[in-house]
């Protein structure tokens, strides 16, 4: 399909005097791709390369009583068997590099501790060939005490459920040090439901989705000069991989030389930095170049997928299709460890209630630990799952009311100047126009009113006001975590002492046993200067900013301390030569990750 | 481990190597012959990333025993451009570039070999025949349309059928 530009829309917002945009440009890596010369990580050859294969749990949940590697070590060509005790700092969480989440995942599970998902590694074999490594893996004897497991998010959050992840005793990630879920409160949904003509509920469930890159995840490490290690990797997140390897191996990142940049398909599945630490550790322990990689079966079974989400959506709606209240309860299946799931929910809740202006919005979204494969990033993760639920529910509601589903979307779509549920003004909105073009392409008739609608008109005014009253609550409050950061602090001791997760490893050394500890709150990063878009804002009352997490949840609504809206910064200075000011970044990713 | 000597033609060059018992053609080409253009994607004959030509027919190197290619002709992407002399791209490679037919590039080598085999036996394939020819090659990035367009462009002699669609 050729690209089609619909320049009749928002013509005054666009500068068409551009050198690159709108013109075909060749990829800079294309010549390498069509000649087979693009340097994927596995295209680096080393004499004497050793191969690493992992011994993996066949159980969803089990205690590792004993690992017997004596027979495997005697297989000719086996250089080394790596166990948990060989890992200098055997506990990490990927997002600890952003001070977001407790260390909860060992690199290898030690004797006495638990495996928490099927495929979790307990040992790794370093051998001269892949075949020898596979043979030796089959000769490792692991004595497991099989434990009950939980695979359903709502089963996992019931009282008395199997404890999956000891860093989070109730199987729920802790947000902001305060709550066992991520909250969104905007207006009063219960009042909205009372006002509505109809209240329509729906339940939506998606499956985990494997990114399935054609190149499986992997890394090759080798000794380098000056006591350093080089590591070629398929990673999508080179500095995550560097930091994770430095932390797990307790080695200065200055001694690690990671080389990436050519990724054989990632789609988010190459962020988790599983192989780089293992390949480097193999090299540290043997002095040989080592390759660690998933085979296809591991990529599908052990490689972290997009996590499954379950959503309950309740809409309060008028008979003409106007949405007056929307309530979400969401359960995000993180699998056994946090990885990127907690962050996905932050993204997802920032996206609610979808691109619609609704005066009363409520969300409780849980990051739930189950004995499934840990979930991670994938193309819009945190947003795509709930969008599936929202848009399915829009169709259901329109059908129940006997309305046209596209017209109902146009009626409720954000207009410029509307206040969003997360207390930012809607700008540069375009859903109305997207609906109009989609209907046109599909030959779907729209009413004259819907065809005349515009994102530029009808917004602002009362729609730009914060709700007069926001119903707050302390439901889901937890204690024992340091507030001000996402999950820092001591695990609540009372719960831990009574939990079934105790007694797996007696030592206080890094051994796969999480030992969360309070840490000082990190310095706040300076906020980038926000710059107003050039489009004229519709006249509207300036809404008051109030922080729903300001620590006064019991304060009467509407009395939260008012302060200037943080996004309304002064106009930026003009350039020294009087030219127009440079635009600042409109959006800043929390992680700064780029994903395919 | 026993070693078996074999000789084969590799992109027009005579090669003789020792192969291990059970070694597959993919491993032999990459590790022993040093031709890194065939890729490992699945090791079980499902993704097509390791496709090479054996006596002109597309074959999955990951499930082909290396010793079975003794005396046969192996062609890979490494020979596509060289075959035109002076490192010039083949029309198919050029068409892949023109049509944005690669994103991550990992499946591209296998795609090129399947398409090369198709055009060798059927210089004017229909769209359906192109789809059939690359149906054993998985791609997660492009959605296939660009690849199909590229093969059709190459088949039409690099003509303008697709050029007008840019």
């Amino acid at each position: 399909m050729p690209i089609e530009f619909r320049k009749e829309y928002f013509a005054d917002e666009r500068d068409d005097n551009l050198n690159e945009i709108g013109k075909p440009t060749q990829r800079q890596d294309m010549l390498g791709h069509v000649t087979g010369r693009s340097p994927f990580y596995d295209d680096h050859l080393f004499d004497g390369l050793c191969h690493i294969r992992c011994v993996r749990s066949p159980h969803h949940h089990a205690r590792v009583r004993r690992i017997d590697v004596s027979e495997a070590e005697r297989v000719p060509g086996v250089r080394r068997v790596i166990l948990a005790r060989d890992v200098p700092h055997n506990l990490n969480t990927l997002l600890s590099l952003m001070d977001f989440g407790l260390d909860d995942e060992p690199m290898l599970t030690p004797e006495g501790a638990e495996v928490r998902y099927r495929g979790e590694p307990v040992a790794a074999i370093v051998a001269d060939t892949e075949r020898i490594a596979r043979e030796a893996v089959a000769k490792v004897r692991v004595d497991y005490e099989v434990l009950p497991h939980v695979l359903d998010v709502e089963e996992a959050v019931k009282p008395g459920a199997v404890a999956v992840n000891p860093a989070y005793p109730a199987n729920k990630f802790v947000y902001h040090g305060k709550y066992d879920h991520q909250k969104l409160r905007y207006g009063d949904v219960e009042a909205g439901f009372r006002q509505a003509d109809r209240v329509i509920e729906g339940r939506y469930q998606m499956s985990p989705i494997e990114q399935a890159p054609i190149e499986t995840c992997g890394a090759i490490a080798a000794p380098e000069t000056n006591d350093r290690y080089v590591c070629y990797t398929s990673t999508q997140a080179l500095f995550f991989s560097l930091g994770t390897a430095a932390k797990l191996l307790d080695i200065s990142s200055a001694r690690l030389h990671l080389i990436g940049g050519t990724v054989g398909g990632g789609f988010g599945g190459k962020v988790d930095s599983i192989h780089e630490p293992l390949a480097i550790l193999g090299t540290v322990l043997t002095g040989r170049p080592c390759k660690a990689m998933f085979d296809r079966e591991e990529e599908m079974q052990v490689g972290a997928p997009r996590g499954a989400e379950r959503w309950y959506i309740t809409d309060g709606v008028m008979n003409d299709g106007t949405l007056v209240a929307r309530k979400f309860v969401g359960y995000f299946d993180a699998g056994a460890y946090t990885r990127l799931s907690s962050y996905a929910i932050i993204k997802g809740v920032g996206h609610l209630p979808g691109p619609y202006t609704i005066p009363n919005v409520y969300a409780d979204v849980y990051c739930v630990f189950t004995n499934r494969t840990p979930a991670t990033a994938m193309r819009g993760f945190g947003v795509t799952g709930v969008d599936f639920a929202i848009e399915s529910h829009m169709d259901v509601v329109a059908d129940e009311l006997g309305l046209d589903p596209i017209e109902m979307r146009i009626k409720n779509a954000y207009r410029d100047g509307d206040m969003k549920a997360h207390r930012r003004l809607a700008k540069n909105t375009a859903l109305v126009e997207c609906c109009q073009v989609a209907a046109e392409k599909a030959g779907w008739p729209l009413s004259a009113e819907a065809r005349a609608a515009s994102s530029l008109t009808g917004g602002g005014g009362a729609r730009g006001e914060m709700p007069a009253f926001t119903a707050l609550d302390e439901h889901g409050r937890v204690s024992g975590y340091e507030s001000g950061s996402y999950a820092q602090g001591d695990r609540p001791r009372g719960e831990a002492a009574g939990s079934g997760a105790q007694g797996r490893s007696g030592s206080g050394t890094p051994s796969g046993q999480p030992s969360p500890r309070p840490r000082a709150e990190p310095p706040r990063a300076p906020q980038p200067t926000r710059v107003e878009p050039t489009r004229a804002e519709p006249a509207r009352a300036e809404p008051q900013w109030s922080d729903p997490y300001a620590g006064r949840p019991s304060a009467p609504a509407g009395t939260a301390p008012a302060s200037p809206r943080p996004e309304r910064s002064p106009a930026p200075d003009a350039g020294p030569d009087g030219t127009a000011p440079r635009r600042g970044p409109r959006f800043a990713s929390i992680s700064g990750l780029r994903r395919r | 481990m026993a070693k078996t000597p074999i000789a084969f033609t590799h992109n027009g060059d005579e090669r003789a190597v020792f192969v291990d018992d059970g070694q597959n053609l993919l491993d032999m080409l990459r590790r022993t012959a040093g031709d890194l253009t065939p890729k490992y994607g699945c090791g079980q004959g499902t993704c097509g990333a390791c496709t090479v030509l054996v006596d002109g027919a597309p074959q999955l190197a990951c499930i082909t025993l290396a010793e079975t290619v003794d005396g046969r002709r192996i062609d890979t992407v490494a020979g596509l451009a060289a075959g035109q002399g002076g490192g010039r791209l083949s029309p198919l490679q050029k068409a892949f570039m023109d049509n944005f037919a690669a994103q991550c590039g990992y499946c591209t080598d296998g795609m090129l070999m399947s398409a090369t085999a198709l055009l060798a036996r059927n210089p004017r394939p229909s769209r359906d025949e192109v789809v059939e020819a690359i149906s054993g090659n998985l791609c997660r990035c492009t959605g296939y349309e660009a690849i199909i367009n590229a093969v059709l462009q190459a088949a039409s002699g690099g003509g303008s059928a697709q050029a007008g669609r840019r």
Side-chain angles (χ1 to χ4, degrees), chain A residues 383-408:
Chain A
V383 173
T384 31
V386 73
D387 262 343
F388 150 71
I390 289 170
E391 297 308 326
S392 298
H393 198 60
M394 291 294 286
D395 286 347
V396 167
V397 171
D399 187 57
E400 291 266 329
L401 296 173
L403 298 174
D404 181 295
I406 297 184
E407 298 216 2
M408 186 176 144

PDB file of all heavy atoms in Angstrom, chain A residues 383-408:
ATOM      1  N   VAL A 383      -0.447  -1.121  26.812  1.00  0.00           N
ATOM      2  CA  VAL A 383      -1.476  -0.304  26.179  1.00  0.00           C
ATOM      3  C   VAL A 383      -2.323  -1.138  25.211  1.00  0.00           C
ATOM      4  O   VAL A 383      -3.544  -1.017  25.166  1.00  0.00           O
ATOM      5  CB  VAL A 383      -0.831   0.892  25.442  1.00  0.00           C
ATOM      6  CG1 VAL A 383      -1.865   1.652  24.643  1.00  0.00           C
ATOM      7  CG2 VAL A 383      -0.162   1.812  26.452  1.00  0.00           C
ATOM      8  N   THR A 384      -1.672  -2.017  24.455  1.00  0.00           N
ATOM      9  CA  THR A 384      -2.398  -2.789  23.443  1.00  0.00           C
ATOM     10  C   THR A 384      -3.451  -3.696  24.073  1.00  0.00           C
ATOM     11  O   THR A 384      -4.541  -3.850  23.527  1.00  0.00           O
ATOM     12  CB  THR A 384      -1.412  -3.634  22.616  1.00  0.00           C
ATOM     13  OG1 THR A 384      -0.321  -3.985  23.447  1.00  0.00           O
ATOM     14  CG2 THR A 384      -0.898  -2.852  21.448  1.00  0.00           C
ATOM     15  N   GLY A 385      -3.123  -4.327  25.202  1.00  0.00           N
ATOM     16  CA  GLY A 385      -4.070  -5.243  25.826  1.00  0.00           C
ATOM     17  C   GLY A 385      -5.326  -4.530  26.277  1.00  0.00           C
ATOM     18  O   GLY A 385      -6.450  -4.987  26.025  1.00  0.00           O
ATOM     19  N   VAL A 386      -5.153  -3.392  26.931  1.00  0.00           N
ATOM     20  CA  VAL A 386      -6.334  -2.680  27.420  1.00  0.00           C
ATOM     21  C   VAL A 386      -7.055  -1.994  26.266  1.00  0.00           C
ATOM     22  O   VAL A 386      -8.272  -1.817  26.306  1.00  0.00           O
ATOM     23  CB  VAL A 386      -5.977  -1.706  28.563  1.00  0.00           C
ATOM     24  CG1 VAL A 386      -5.235  -0.487  28.069  1.00  0.00           C
ATOM     25  CG2 VAL A 386      -7.247  -1.284  29.296  1.00  0.00           C
ATOM     26  N   ASP A 387      -6.346  -1.657  25.222  1.00  0.00           N
ATOM     27  CA  ASP A 387      -7.038  -1.108  24.054  1.00  0.00           C
ATOM     28  C   ASP A 387      -7.958  -2.147  23.418  1.00  0.00           C
ATOM     29  O   ASP A 387      -9.067  -1.824  22.981  1.00  0.00           O
ATOM     30  CB  ASP A 387      -6.034  -0.614  22.998  1.00  0.00           C
ATOM     31  CG  ASP A 387      -5.819   0.888  23.101  1.00  0.00           C
ATOM     32  OD1 ASP A 387      -6.647   1.567  23.727  1.00  0.00           O
ATOM     33  OD2 ASP A 387      -4.820   1.374  22.556  1.00  0.00           O
ATOM     34  N   PHE A 388      -7.480  -3.385  23.377  1.00  0.00           N
ATOM     35  CA  PHE A 388      -8.345  -4.477  22.899  1.00  0.00           C
ATOM     36  C   PHE A 388      -9.615  -4.531  23.753  1.00  0.00           C
ATOM     37  O   PHE A 388     -10.736  -4.635  23.223  1.00  0.00           O
ATOM     38  CB  PHE A 388      -7.574  -5.798  22.974  1.00  0.00           C
ATOM     39  CG  PHE A 388      -8.422  -7.012  23.221  1.00  0.00           C
ATOM     40  CD1 PHE A 388      -9.275  -7.490  22.233  1.00  0.00           C
ATOM     41  CD2 PHE A 388      -8.367  -7.679  24.432  1.00  0.00           C
ATOM     42  CE1 PHE A 388     -10.058  -8.609  22.467  1.00  0.00           C
ATOM     43  CE2 PHE A 388      -9.147  -8.794  24.669  1.00  0.00           C
ATOM     44  CZ  PHE A 388     -10.000  -9.256  23.682  1.00  0.00           C
ATOM     45  N   ALA A 389      -9.456  -4.421  25.061  1.00  0.00           N
ATOM     46  CA  ALA A 389     -10.622  -4.482  25.943  1.00  0.00           C
ATOM     47  C   ALA A 389     -11.526  -3.267  25.737  1.00  0.00           C
ATOM     48  O   ALA A 389     -12.754  -3.393  25.617  1.00  0.00           O
ATOM     49  CB  ALA A 389     -10.160  -4.583  27.396  1.00  0.00           C
ATOM     50  N   ILE A 390     -10.935  -2.083  25.687  1.00  0.00           N
ATOM     51  CA  ILE A 390     -11.730  -0.847  25.561  1.00  0.00           C
ATOM     52  C   ILE A 390     -12.512  -0.845  24.249  1.00  0.00           C
ATOM     53  O   ILE A 390     -13.718  -0.592  24.220  1.00  0.00           O
ATOM     54  CB  ILE A 390     -10.809   0.391  25.632  1.00  0.00           C
ATOM     55  CG1 ILE A 390     -10.267   0.573  27.043  1.00  0.00           C
ATOM     56  CG2 ILE A 390     -11.558   1.650  25.181  1.00  0.00           C
ATOM     57  CD1 ILE A 390      -9.159   1.631  27.139  1.00  0.00           C
ATOM     58  N   GLU A 391     -11.820  -1.142  23.170  1.00  0.00           N
ATOM     59  CA  GLU A 391     -12.496  -1.036  21.873  1.00  0.00           C
ATOM     60  C   GLU A 391     -13.523  -2.150  21.688  1.00  0.00           C
ATOM     61  O   GLU A 391     -14.566  -1.938  21.054  1.00  0.00           O
ATOM     62  CB  GLU A 391     -11.464  -1.007  20.746  1.00  0.00           C
ATOM     63  CG  GLU A 391     -10.532   0.207  20.806  1.00  0.00           C
ATOM     64  CD  GLU A 391     -11.273   1.542  20.907  1.00  0.00           C
ATOM     65  OE1 GLU A 391     -12.363   1.678  20.327  1.00  0.00           O
ATOM     66  OE2 GLU A 391     -10.783   2.451  21.602  1.00  0.00           O
ATOM     67  N   SER A 392     -13.237  -3.332  22.246  1.00  0.00           N
ATOM     68  CA  SER A 392     -14.265  -4.382  22.222  1.00  0.00           C
ATOM     69  C   SER A 392     -15.487  -3.909  22.993  1.00  0.00           C
ATOM     70  O   SER A 392     -16.633  -4.098  22.571  1.00  0.00           O
ATOM     71  CB  SER A 392     -13.718  -5.673  22.844  1.00  0.00           C
ATOM     72  OG  SER A 392     -12.617  -6.162  22.119  1.00  0.00           O
ATOM     73  N   HIS A 393     -15.233  -3.284  24.136  1.00  0.00           N
ATOM     74  CA  HIS A 393     -16.348  -2.850  24.977  1.00  0.00           C
ATOM     75  C   HIS A 393     -17.119  -1.705  24.317  1.00  0.00           C
ATOM     76  O   HIS A 393     -18.357  -1.631  24.448  1.00  0.00           O
ATOM     77  CB  HIS A 393     -15.836  -2.445  26.358  1.00  0.00           C
ATOM     78  CG  HIS A 393     -16.909  -2.411  27.400  1.00  0.00           C
ATOM     79  ND1 HIS A 393     -17.655  -3.522  27.730  1.00  0.00           N
ATOM     80  CD2 HIS A 393     -17.388  -1.410  28.186  1.00  0.00           C
ATOM     81  CE1 HIS A 393     -18.540  -3.202  28.664  1.00  0.00           C
ATOM     82  NE2 HIS A 393     -18.404  -1.928  28.959  1.00  0.00           N
ATOM     83  N   MET A 394     -16.428  -0.838  23.614  1.00  0.00           N
ATOM     84  CA  MET A 394     -17.136   0.222  22.879  1.00  0.00           C
ATOM     85  C   MET A 394     -18.139  -0.397  21.903  1.00  0.00           C
ATOM     86  O   MET A 394     -19.281   0.062  21.777  1.00  0.00           O
ATOM     87  CB  MET A 394     -16.148   1.099  22.108  1.00  0.00           C
ATOM     88  CG  MET A 394     -15.235   1.983  22.948  1.00  0.00           C
ATOM     89  SD  MET A 394     -16.051   3.286  23.892  1.00  0.00           S
ATOM     90  CE  MET A 394     -16.474   4.454  22.605  1.00  0.00           C
ATOM     91  N   ASP A 395     -17.706  -1.451  21.218  1.00  0.00           N
ATOM     92  CA  ASP A 395     -18.613  -2.111  20.277  1.00  0.00           C
ATOM     93  C   ASP A 395     -19.796  -2.744  21.010  1.00  0.00           C
ATOM     94  O   ASP A 395     -20.935  -2.679  20.549  1.00  0.00           O
ATOM     95  CB  ASP A 395     -17.857  -3.190  19.487  1.00  0.00           C
ATOM     96  CG  ASP A 395     -16.931  -2.600  18.440  1.00  0.00           C
ATOM     97  OD1 ASP A 395     -17.042  -1.391  18.154  1.00  0.00           O
ATOM     98  OD2 ASP A 395     -16.084  -3.346  17.911  1.00  0.00           O
ATOM     99  N   VAL A 396     -19.503  -3.375  22.155  1.00  0.00           N
ATOM    100  CA  VAL A 396     -20.572  -4.011  22.929  1.00  0.00           C
ATOM    101  C   VAL A 396     -21.592  -2.965  23.387  1.00  0.00           C
ATOM    102  O   VAL A 396     -22.809  -3.161  23.265  1.00  0.00           O
ATOM    103  CB  VAL A 396     -19.971  -4.767  24.139  1.00  0.00           C
ATOM    104  CG1 VAL A 396     -21.065  -5.160  25.131  1.00  0.00           C
ATOM    105  CG2 VAL A 396     -19.208  -5.995  23.667  1.00  0.00           C
ATOM    106  N   VAL A 397     -21.093  -1.851  23.907  1.00  0.00           N
ATOM    107  CA  VAL A 397     -21.988  -0.807  24.417  1.00  0.00           C
ATOM    108  C   VAL A 397     -22.823  -0.227  23.276  1.00  0.00           C
ATOM    109  O   VAL A 397     -24.043  -0.053  23.402  1.00  0.00           O
ATOM    110  CB  VAL A 397     -21.175   0.287  25.131  1.00  0.00           C
ATOM    111  CG1 VAL A 397     -22.058   1.486  25.466  1.00  0.00           C
ATOM    112  CG2 VAL A 397     -20.537  -0.271  26.407  1.00  0.00           C
ATOM    113  N   ALA A 398     -22.176   0.046  22.153  1.00  0.00           N
ATOM    114  CA  ALA A 398     -22.925   0.589  21.011  1.00  0.00           C
ATOM    115  C   ALA A 398     -24.001  -0.394  20.562  1.00  0.00           C
ATOM    116  O   ALA A 398     -25.140  -0.008  20.264  1.00  0.00           O
ATOM    117  CB  ALA A 398     -21.966   0.893  19.856  1.00  0.00           C
ATOM    118  N   ASP A 399     -23.650  -1.659  20.552  1.00  0.00           N
ATOM    119  CA  ASP A 399     -24.608  -2.683  20.143  1.00  0.00           C
ATOM    120  C   ASP A 399     -25.793  -2.745  21.110  1.00  0.00           C
ATOM    121  O   ASP A 399     -26.947  -2.833  20.695  1.00  0.00           O
ATOM    122  CB  ASP A 399     -23.887  -4.034  20.068  1.00  0.00           C
ATOM    123  CG  ASP A 399     -24.771  -5.110  19.477  1.00  0.00           C
ATOM    124  OD1 ASP A 399     -25.247  -4.912  18.348  1.00  0.00           O
ATOM    125  OD2 ASP A 399     -25.007  -6.135  20.147  1.00  0.00           O
ATOM    126  N   GLU A 400     -25.485  -2.689  22.412  1.00  0.00           N
ATOM    127  CA  GLU A 400     -26.549  -2.732  23.429  1.00  0.00           C
ATOM    128  C   GLU A 400     -27.500  -1.552  23.276  1.00  0.00           C
ATOM    129  O   GLU A 400     -28.703  -1.678  23.521  1.00  0.00           O
ATOM    130  CB  GLU A 400     -25.939  -2.695  24.834  1.00  0.00           C
ATOM    131  CG  GLU A 400     -25.185  -3.951  25.222  1.00  0.00           C
ATOM    132  CD  GLU A 400     -26.074  -4.925  25.990  1.00  0.00           C
ATOM    133  OE1 GLU A 400     -26.988  -4.445  26.698  1.00  0.00           O
ATOM    134  OE2 GLU A 400     -25.854  -6.144  25.866  1.00  0.00           O
ATOM    135  N   LEU A 401     -26.937  -0.403  22.898  1.00  0.00           N
ATOM    136  CA  LEU A 401     -27.759   0.799  22.788  1.00  0.00           C
ATOM    137  C   LEU A 401     -28.375   0.954  21.412  1.00  0.00           C
ATOM    138  O   LEU A 401     -29.144   1.882  21.173  1.00  0.00           O
ATOM    139  CB  LEU A 401     -26.911   2.043  23.091  1.00  0.00           C
ATOM    140  CG  LEU A 401     -26.353   2.151  24.521  1.00  0.00           C
ATOM    141  CD1 LEU A 401     -25.409   3.335  24.631  1.00  0.00           C
ATOM    142  CD2 LEU A 401     -27.471   2.277  25.545  1.00  0.00           C
ATOM    143  N   GLY A 402     -28.004   0.083  20.498  1.00  0.00           N
ATOM    144  CA  GLY A 402     -28.501   0.206  19.137  1.00  0.00           C
ATOM    145  C   GLY A 402     -27.895   1.375  18.380  1.00  0.00           C
ATOM    146  O   GLY A 402     -28.523   1.959  17.494  1.00  0.00           O
ATOM    147  N   LEU A 403     -26.664   1.733  18.727  1.00  0.00           N
ATOM    148  CA  LEU A 403     -26.001   2.877  18.091  1.00  0.00           C
ATOM    149  C   LEU A 403     -24.928   2.401  17.124  1.00  0.00           C
ATOM    150  O   LEU A 403     -24.422   1.277  17.226  1.00  0.00           O
ATOM    151  CB  LEU A 403     -25.351   3.767  19.158  1.00  0.00           C
ATOM    152  CG  LEU A 403     -26.296   4.392  20.171  1.00  0.00           C
ATOM    153  CD1 LEU A 403     -25.502   5.107  21.248  1.00  0.00           C
ATOM    154  CD2 LEU A 403     -27.260   5.355  19.489  1.00  0.00           C
ATOM    155  N   ASP A 404     -24.551   3.287  16.229  1.00  0.00           N
ATOM    156  CA  ASP A 404     -23.449   3.007  15.313  1.00  0.00           C
ATOM    157  C   ASP A 404     -22.134   3.074  16.095  1.00  0.00           C
ATOM    158  O   ASP A 404     -21.862   4.085  16.764  1.00  0.00           O
ATOM    159  CB  ASP A 404     -23.456   4.062  14.199  1.00  0.00           C
ATOM    160  CG  ASP A 404     -22.349   3.828  13.195  1.00  0.00           C
ATOM    161  OD1 ASP A 404     -21.154   3.928  13.576  1.00  0.00           O
ATOM    162  OD2 ASP A 404     -22.668   3.549  12.039  1.00  0.00           O
ATOM    163  N   PRO A 405     -21.310   2.027  16.033  1.00  0.00           N
ATOM    164  CA  PRO A 405     -20.105   2.018  16.881  1.00  0.00           C
ATOM    165  C   PRO A 405     -19.098   3.112  16.522  1.00  0.00           C
ATOM    166  O   PRO A 405     -18.403   3.623  17.409  1.00  0.00           O
ATOM    167  CB  PRO A 405     -19.521   0.618  16.656  1.00  0.00           C
ATOM    168  CG  PRO A 405     -20.127   0.124  15.387  1.00  0.00           C
ATOM    169  CD  PRO A 405     -21.478   0.775  15.284  1.00  0.00           C
ATOM    170  N   ILE A 406     -19.020   3.494  15.245  1.00  0.00           N
ATOM    171  CA  ILE A 406     -18.069   4.551  14.874  1.00  0.00           C
ATOM    172  C   ILE A 406     -18.603   5.909  15.334  1.00  0.00           C
ATOM    173  O   ILE A 406     -17.865   6.745  15.863  1.00  0.00           O
ATOM    174  CB  ILE A 406     -17.780   4.526  13.361  1.00  0.00           C
ATOM    175  CG1 ILE A 406     -17.099   3.197  12.996  1.00  0.00           C
ATOM    176  CG2 ILE A 406     -16.893   5.702  12.968  1.00  0.00           C
ATOM    177  CD1 ILE A 406     -16.686   3.090  11.537  1.00  0.00           C
ATOM    178  N   GLU A 407     -19.891   6.104  15.166  1.00  0.00           N
ATOM    179  CA  GLU A 407     -20.463   7.388  15.613  1.00  0.00           C
ATOM    180  C   GLU A 407     -20.354   7.532  17.128  1.00  0.00           C
ATOM    181  O   GLU A 407     -20.126   8.629  17.646  1.00  0.00           O
ATOM    182  CB  GLU A 407     -21.917   7.487  15.170  1.00  0.00           C
ATOM    183  CG  GLU A 407     -22.030   7.453  13.649  1.00  0.00           C
ATOM    184  CD  GLU A 407     -23.121   8.345  13.106  1.00  0.00           C
ATOM    185  OE1 GLU A 407     -23.780   9.042  13.909  1.00  0.00           O
ATOM    186  OE2 GLU A 407     -23.305   8.351  11.882  1.00  0.00           O
ATOM    187  N   MET A 408     -20.503   6.418  17.837  1.00  0.00           N
ATOM    188  CA  MET A 408     -20.364   6.506  19.292  1.00  0.00           C
ATOM    189  C   MET A 408     -18.921   6.872  19.674  1.00  0.00           C
ATOM    190  O   MET A 408     -18.688   7.625  20.619  1.00  0.00           O
ATOM    191  CB  MET A 408     -20.764   5.191  19.947  1.00  0.00           C
ATOM    192  CG  MET A 408     -20.764   5.318  21.462  1.00  0.00           C
ATOM    193  SD  MET A 408     -21.345   3.846  22.288  1.00  0.00           S
ATOM    194  CE  MET A 408     -20.253   3.896  23.709  1.00  0.00           C
TER     195      MET A 408
END
